Amino acid sequence: MLAREVVEELIQVLGRENVLTEQEDLLTYAYDATAALKHQKPDVVVSPISTEQVAEVVKIAQRHQVPIYPRGSGTNLSGGTVPIQGGIVLSMLNLNKILEFDQDNLTATVQPGVIIQTLNDEAAKHGLIYPPDPGTVTTATMGGSVSECSGGLRGLKYGVTKHYIMGLTIVLANGKVIRWGGKTVKNVTGYDLVALFTGAEGTLGIITEMIVKLIPAPETRKSVLGVFDNLDKAGNAIAAIIRNKIIPATLEIMDNVTIQTVEHFVHAGLPLNAEAVLLCEVDGYKEVVERESVLVERILQEEGAVEVKVAKNDQERDLLWLARRSALPALAQKRPTTVLEDATVPRSKIPDMLKIVRKIADKYNLQIATFGHAGDGNLHPTILTDVRDEDEMKRVHLAVDEIFHGAIALGGTLSGEHGIGVAKMDFLSLEFGEAGVEALKAIKEALDPNYMLNPGKIVRRD
Amino acid sequence: MSVYDSLDSINEELHKCMKCGNCQAVCPIYKETRQEVGVARGKISLAEFILSGEAEMTEGMAERFSLCTTCMACNQNCPCGVRFDKIILAARAEAVRKKGLHPVKKIAFTALKMQRLFDFGMKTGSVFQGVALKHLPHKSDRLARMRFDIGIGTEKVFPMLAKRPLRSELPEVVKVKNPKMRVAFFTGCMINYFYTDIGKAVVEVLTENDIEVVIPRGQGCCGIPASVNGDTVSARALARRNLRAFERLGADALVVACSSGGTAWKHVFMELLENDPEFSTLAKKWSEKSYDISEFLIHKVPFKKEGLGRVDRKVTYHDPCHLNRGQGINKEPREILKSIPGVELIEMKEPGRCCGMAGSFSLVHPDLSVKISDRKIADISQTQTNTVATGCPACRLQLQSGVENAGIQEQVMHTVQILAESYRAGKKGSK
Ligand SMILES: Cc1cc2nc3c(=O)[nH]c(=O)nc-3n(C[C@H](O)[C@H](O)[C@H](O)COP(=O)(O)OP(=O)(O)OC[C@H]3O[C@@H](n4cnc5c(N)ncnc54)[C@H](O)[C@@H]3O)c2cc1C
Ligand code: SF4
Ligand code: SF4
């Protein structure tokens, strides 16, 4: 339990209405979107409205040695926001202003509680876009997605969150405030702390402001769907598209289990016996898009697609994407629990990874559907299960283990975009050995020696 | 087992939730409070903790469960198909069972007080109005503001009580020359006491289409205010009373012009009475022939287009949650509006966003309700229209109060009133 005086001090800084202490409220901060994870409620939830208030909260926490768990919308999939040691949940949602749009430098300055879509809506008014688009664009905060370095559908052409973060204001574990980076494209002054804090999952400092890069919105786009009766052919088609120097904005894949589920769900006209479908979208200037879409169509045919569909208008495009957008909902409705992984491999290894996942599913007698961002090698093997079935959950954990091993054996990584949190920290040495884990630890301890910020995530304290 | 009888009944529904948080994107309450307890995911978790025994149904819990306008926006945005509307009903009913009416006593109390005010007002007429409500000069509607605070603030603008309730003003059977059908009209409380103009428009439009209208005198409140707040006992009694009243007079179909009434007749009566040997079949029978007025005029008896006169209005349409998401009716009112000569329909941003009224929600959480309403009013004022049409008297009240407080020139009407206006204009023109 938290000492009374801690709560009193917090109230003094933030005002009573921004400090939640009742059990009924605390319980709703005991979880995030991560499946099958033990929940834990915090002792207090606070919602600051300024960098100064955040700094004060950190100082109070330091004085009393209480852990702080930063939280955006709580949609991460790795247990990043669960306050596993109790203490303070620091909700960033009231820091929700877009502070500036700079059309000359093509940047926006935003607070961490801004929802990604809100930034995009604002950017659209200026003919600009902020490309990172995780499946949660309409809910996730800028602070949360920067802290997870979220990816999304457009990673292949446009990169991921880290490619758009130019400057950060950070409250350090000692309560001091630093600003790093800025509006300049070039900046080599000191270590690149902006890069370090992007994807740090709130374990190194608290982001209270960020300068992000915006780019001009593409003039137009076009979608092409290819149906394959063989996984290797689909894999070759992915490689062939890139080899022909076409970089689609999105290049998505769905495997047979996903196709079957989606088809029963939305009746988008996908052949039930297809081994894989590829969904490709090119964007840019009209002329380029025309040329590239014709090329993609031809490549898909050449690589042995049994069927190729090109969307002729927005309606047809929406229909094609309906299938892809329905993948997760359709799967999620089959069983009560959905374990969504994000093992990522080099693009060329996609067919191998899909086969490995299928073998694992057979071995453990589990329903695993795989879909994902084929263009950047980021797959989402999705295990459909039920947390109430203990025996099955044991097999789920073993399967997840093997998926990680499989991805790393293929030269891939544990997590492409969902982060490590608590869910994957035990596997870190698998990817970069003990020396790597020690290096992580050294960085953590240099910036947060008392393990105050999001303790129990990424780095374990001995 | 129905959601009204046990929290266990929603066990499977709760398990469907994968905690993705998608509901945050659309929840009007969460948008204002930005606290997890406001959104469906938060309340689902609380219900889970109660079921697993980790938490108890406290008064505080009941209070948290009152934080929902039951707008069903989360249902629609949920990838897992979670029926949050069922979950919230079950949680509230559980709260009442565990804590008696106590946790929601404020609601019940206020609602009761309102009811008594109405009845009192009905008897004393204008005397009462002068005492409790301050009349506001307005060009078309008779509006008033509370003179003193009865726990709901004095900000809310109310329509003045009708001089006579609709059901005592109109005969029980409104005959036409060559009736092609006999339709029963369930008025609901708001149309009966406040917005008799909507009720009269319904009757006008139906008779214009050669339909005989019966308005059973024995009908009462639809019981939705009771059932959504967990008072299952009262809700059941009201359901039986209404079924009895309509069965006595009989009709080929039943129409309503408010979204609660439609929800009640189509779904809730059946759910409430599913184990009632006497009334379950009756509830099912009437459910099958219940229609919202716009649905009826488009699908059941297509309204006649000849005789429609010109109505010069720039109209924007607000979708009532329980008509749109609850009953899937959103094209029909627009179709009616578009077929009226002279009406220009201009859509607002997010027409399906909750107005914040939600029955007693606006009484228990007046500040939140006003904040939610403010967003709606801002969207409306951007359309540069002069009329807001909607399909529910409760929304009309909220919107009317909103435009009044914002000082914008906008008349708030039920779709069917504009249709009636058009028939009237048609008659004038042909004379
Ligand atoms: C259905 C679904 C689909 C998804 N699809 C994708 C996808 O396509 N791509 C993808 O990359 N991710 C995806 N995700 C994961 C998730 O949405 C993202 O990681 C998201 O950006 C997290 O944002 P949030 O605001 O919810 O952060 P939270 O979950 O609240 O927090 C995430 C982490 O950031 C930390 N944090 C939050 N705010 C701050 C701050 N201001 N300063 C420091 N640390 C902070 C937290 O402590 C936590 O460790 C998906 C999740 C779901 C449920
Ligand atoms: S959108 Fe549905 S599944 Fe997701 S958290 Fe909300 S209720 Fe649960
Ligand atoms: S029904 Fe409406 S108010 Fe209630 S939780 Fe869902 S979205 Fe929020």
Side-chain angles (χ1 to χ4, degrees):
Chain A
M1 255 318 271
L2 210 57
R4 264 219 74 75
E5 51 191 298
V6 180
V7 176
E8 291 304 325
E9 286 176 35
L10 289 170
I11 289 174
Q12 207 136 64
V13 174
L14 302 166
R16 192 167 291 278
E17 67 281 9
N18 295 316
V19 180
L20 303 177
T21 53
E22 285 178 32
Q23 143 111 347
E24 293 87 347
D25 292 316
L26 299 180
L27 281 168
T28 62
Y29 293 88
Y31 55 81
D32 52 31
T34 317
L37 196 72
K38 199 174 159 302
H39 51 261
Q40 169 65 49
K41 76 174 160 62
D43 296 308
V44 59
V45 178
V46 300
S47 309
I49 54 163
S50 66
T51 302
E52 294 70 36
Q53 285 193 349
V54 173
E56 285 309 313
V57 171
V58 172
K59 284 180 200 156
I60 294 170
Q62 273 296 358
R63 261 202 311 279
H64 298 277
Q65 290 294 298
V66 184
I68 295 182
Y69 290 91
R71 184 182 174 104
S73 296
T75 67
N76 77 88
L77 294 165
S78 47
T81 47
V82 180
I84 54 175
Q85 298 173 13
I88 302 170
V89 160
L90 182 66
S91 168
M92 305 305 285
L93 294 176
N94 284 349
L95 276 153
N96 62 346
K97 296 196 177 47
I98 296 176
L99 301 171
E100 188 199 49
F101 254 92
D102 184 339
Q103 291 201 70
D104 297 335
N105 289 305
L106 292 188
T107 61
T109 305
V110 302
Q111 292 186 323
V114 170
I115 306 299
I116 305 173
Q117 187 63 43
T118 311
L119 173 60
N120 260 319
D121 291 345
E122 220 31 63
K125 289 181 192 162
H126 302 95
L128 300 169
I129 57 169
Y130 171 74
D133 60 343
T136 44
V137 267
T138 59
T139 53
T141 62
M142 287 299 295
S145 60
V146 169
S147 297
E148 295 289 355
C149 186
S150 297
L153 294 179
R154 297 190 279 206
L156 173 58
K157 178 169 177 178
Y158 293 104
V160 297
T161 301
K162 66 181 170 195
H163 301 116
Y164 294 87
I165 307 306
M166 301 177 69
L168 293 176
T169 301
I170 297 151
V171 176
L172 296 172
N174 58 15
K176 291 186 182 160
V177 180
I178 58 169
R179 285 170 186 276
W180 226 264
K183 290 184 185 176
T184 62
V185 172
K186 296 177 179 177
N187 179 333
V188 293
T189 310
Y191 299 139
D192 189 354
L193 295 194
V194 172
L196 178 64
F197 281 93
T198 302
E201 302 183 19
T203 60
L204 301 179
I206 293 151
I207 300 168
T208 58
E209 213 176 288
M210 49 205 106
I211 299 173
V212 305
K213 178 167 108 179
L214 304 170
I215 62 169
E219 187 180 85
T220 186
R221 53 193 184 178
K222 198 147 199 178
S223 299
V224 187
L225 176 95
V227 179
F228 289 87
D229 57 6
N230 174 301
L231 273 182
D232 289 315
K233 282 188 197 164
N236 290 339
I238 297 167
I241 292 172
I242 310 284
R243 211 180 319 114
N244 279 279
K245 306 197 176 52
I246 299 171
I247 306 292
T250 40
L251 182 49
E252 298 287 302
I253 190 167
M254 292 192 280
D255 76 347
N256 177 265
V257 186
T258 312
I259 294 168
Q260 296 218 7
T261 314
V262 167
E263 190 48 33
H264 284 125
F265 194 65
V266 291
H267 308 292
L270 302 178
L272 289 175
N273 54 356
E275 277 301 312
V277 296
L278 289 183
L279 187 50
C280 177
E281 183 163 285
V282 288
D283 68 0
Y285 290 110
K286 233 196 266 145
E287 297 74 17
V288 177
V289 167
E290 263 325 304
R291 217 177 66 200
E292 288 191 340
S293 61
V294 172
L295 252 166
V296 168
E297 189 183 355
R298 199 167 68 216
I299 294 167
L300 290 175
Q301 272 156 355
E302 280 168 10
E303 296 298 329
V306 291
E307 195 186 335
V308 179
K309 275 189 216 166
V310 184
K312 291 192 189 58
N313 48 39
D314 275 354
Q315 261 167 326
E316 286 191 24
R317 173 186 181 272
D318 290 346
L319 201 69
L320 292 187
W321 283 98
L322 176 68
R324 170 60 183 88
R325 272 188 287 113
S326 307
L328 188 60
L331 294 170
Q333 294 197 20
K334 281 198 97 162
R335 298 285 305 277
T337 309
T338 312
V339 177
L340 188 63
E341 286 305 335
D342 69 328
T344 301
V345 294
R347 197 183 292 140
S348 59
K349 301 287 191 214
I350 292 257
D352 298 326
M353 190 63 208
L354 287 171
K355 285 179 207 160
I356 289 178
V357 172
R358 190 158 308 170
K359 235 182 254 153
I360 295 172
D362 288 342
K363 178 171 169 192
Y364 292 107
N365 188 21
L366 291 168
Q367 263 179 301
I368 310 184
T370 305
F371 59 94
H373 322 303
D376 54 33
N378 181 195
L379 290 177
H380 291 306
T382 304
I383 310 180
L384 311 179
T385 178
D386 189 338
V387 276
R388 291 166 292 185
D389 187 335
E390 270 179 45
D391 171 64
E392 186 168 324
M393 285 313 288
K394 263 187 219 139
R395 285 181 279 128
V396 168
H397 289 301
L398 291 171
V400 168
D401 244 61
E402 281 196 27
I403 290 173
F404 289 156
H405 279 92
I408 287 174
L410 290 174
T413 179
L414 289 174
S415 176
E417 53 180 18
H418 295 167
I420 300 302
V422 268
K424 289 172 213 153
M425 60 193 279
D426 289 338
F427 298 93
L428 285 177
S429 59
L430 204 65
E431 186 161 332
F432 34 61
E434 284 310 322
V437 174
E438 275 165 32
L440 272 188
K441 229 172 126 180
I443 293 172
K444 167 76 176 171
E445 290 178 1
L447 284 166
D448 180 18
N450 299 326
Y451 284 76
M452 298 279 311
L453 301 178
N454 213 354
K457 315 293 168 72
I458 305 185
V459 184
R460 194 184 303 284
R461 190 180 201 172
D462 299 322
Chain B
M1 200 183 294
S2 100
V3 294
Y4 299 103
D5 297 308
S6 113
L7 198 55
D8 280 325
S9 65
I10 51 160
N11 224 327
E12 279 310 308
E13 213 55 49
L14 292 172
H15 271 289
K16 278 194 211 160
C17 171
M18 67 167 179
K19 308 290 183 304
C20 67
N22 269 16
C23 37
Q24 293 173 352
V26 293
C27 179
I29 299 205
Y30 182 75
K31 203 141 257 159
E32 302 306 331
T33 65
R34 293 182 293 281
Q35 291 180 359
E36 180 80 14
V37 79
V39 78
R41 184 173 73 166
K43 285 171 288 230
I44 285 172
S45 303
L46 290 182
E48 284 174 349
F49 288 130
I50 292 173
L51 270 175
S52 70
E54 272 170 88
E56 273 176 44
M57 178 58 88
T58 56
E59 267 177 53
M61 280 290 181
E63 228 179 274
R64 303 314 190 273
F65 289 125
S66 81
L67 278 172
C68 172
T69 70
T70 66
C71 74
M72 301 169 85
C74 48
N75 281 24
Q76 204 180 34
N77 208 42
C78 176
C80 302
V82 173
R83 288 283 308 266
F84 186 70
D85 56 331
K86 291 193 171 167
I87 293 176
I88 194 70
L89 288 178
R92 287 177 178 180
E94 173 79 1
V96 172
R97 269 192 306 277
K98 285 277 153 63
K99 298 269 133 195
L101 258 176
H102 184 63
V104 282
K105 80 174 171 209
K106 197 171 171 194
I107 302 168
F109 188 48
T110 318
L112 252 181
K113 212 150 56 167
M114 293 298 290
Q115 185 71 45
R116 269 198 223 119
L117 271 176
F118 298 164
D119 289 343
F120 179 60
M122 302 316 312
K123 286 196 200 101
T124 53
S126 57
V127 180
F128 159 79
Q129 307 249 353
V131 174
L133 300 165
K134 193 160 50 181
H135 191 253
L136 293 174
H138 191 278
K139 61 177 176 358
S140 55
D141 288 299
R142 300 153 61 244
L143 291 175
R145 225 186 269 277
M146 281 286 164
R147 273 195 198 281
F148 43 84
D149 196 345
I150 58 163
I152 57 175
T154 51
E155 275 310 294
K156 183 146 227 113
V157 174
F158 283 93
M160 299 292 271
L161 282 164
K163 286 226 171 58
R164 285 175 72 191
L166 184 75
R167 294 196 295 264
S168 33
E169 196 177 335
L170 294 178
E172 197 166 34
V173 181
V174 185
K175 296 209 178 292
V176 290
K177 243 187 234 139
N178 296 309
K180 57 178 169 195
M181 200 179 207
R182 178 179 160 98
V183 164
F185 177 27
F186 177 77
T187 68
C189 297
M190 289 205 57
I191 291 179
N192 188 45
Y193 288 126
F194 291 111
Y195 289 130
T196 52
D197 51 357
I198 299 179
K200 286 178 204 157
V202 168
V203 174
E204 206 178 322
V205 166
L206 288 174
T207 50
E208 191 63 37
N209 283 278
D210 305 317
I211 291 165
E212 175 174 300
V213 186
V214 268
I215 312 167
R217 285 265 157 79
Q219 63 179 295
C221 170
C222 66
I224 292 280
S227 62
V228 299
N229 290 308
D231 185 359
T232 309
V233 177
S234 308
R236 284 207 169 103
L238 288 165
R240 289 195 192 97
R241 167 184 167 170
N242 282 315
L243 284 165
R244 234 180 268 124
F246 279 77
E247 186 60 20
R248 198 172 58 76
L249 287 175
D252 304 317
L254 178 147
V255 298
V256 296
C258 71
S259 59
S260 315
T263 308
W265 281 95
K266 287 180 183 177
H267 308 294
V268 180
F269 290 176
M270 261 198 313
E271 287 159 15
L272 282 168
L273 301 171
E274 72 181 4
N275 296 322
D276 186 314
E278 195 189 335
F279 282 91
S280 66
T281 40
L282 213 53
K284 184 153 181 294
K285 173 177 133 188
W286 281 94
S287 138
E288 282 158 7
K289 51 180 175 182
S290 292
Y291 299 87
D292 174 70
I293 183 72
S294 67
E295 182 186 24
F296 182 85
L297 293 171
I298 295 288
H299 302 299
K300 183 75 181 167
V301 178
F303 67 101
K304 57 174 215 238
K305 310 285 189 303
E306 64 276 16
L308 287 177
R310 194 174 169 83
V311 176
D312 281 309
R313 284 183 186 277
K314 282 187 176 177
V315 183
T316 190
Y317 180 77
H318 162 72
D319 283 295
C321 301
H322 285 252
L323 196 58
N324 176 20
R325 286 178 288 273
Q327 300 169 52
I329 298 172
N330 46 51
K331 292 193 194 71
E332 293 81 353
R334 290 180 168 83
E335 208 172 305
I336 292 176
L337 289 169
K338 281 189 209 148
S339 63
I340 299 174
V343 165
E344 187 188 349
L345 181 65
I346 302 166
E347 294 287 351
M348 69 180 89
K349 205 176 110 197
E350 298 187 88
R353 193 171 198 286
C354 181
C355 68
M357 174 65 190
S360 46
F361 173 83
S362 70
L363 303 179
V364 182
H365 302 285
D367 298 347
L368 255 178
S369 171
V370 164
K371 279 189 191 155
I372 296 171
S373 156
D374 284 349
R375 283 181 198 258
K376 187 94 230 172
I377 301 303
D379 289 350
I380 289 173
S381 71
Q382 278 197 345
T383 59
Q384 309 275 346
T385 49
N386 53 26
T387 308
V388 191
T390 189
C392 180
C395 298
R396 184 180 175 199
L397 190 154
Q398 177 85 343
L399 297 172
Q400 205 160 21
S401 174
V403 296
E404 194 62 40
N405 282 332
I408 53 175
Q409 297 297 313
E410 195 97 28
Q411 204 181 345
V412 189
M413 300 170 84
H414 192 292
T415 312
V416 75
Q417 288 180 276
I418 305 177
L419 183 58
E421 199 175 61
S422 174
Y423 280 130
R424 246 173 275 144
K427 281 197 193 117
K428 231 190 233 159
S430 66
K431 262 177 208 160

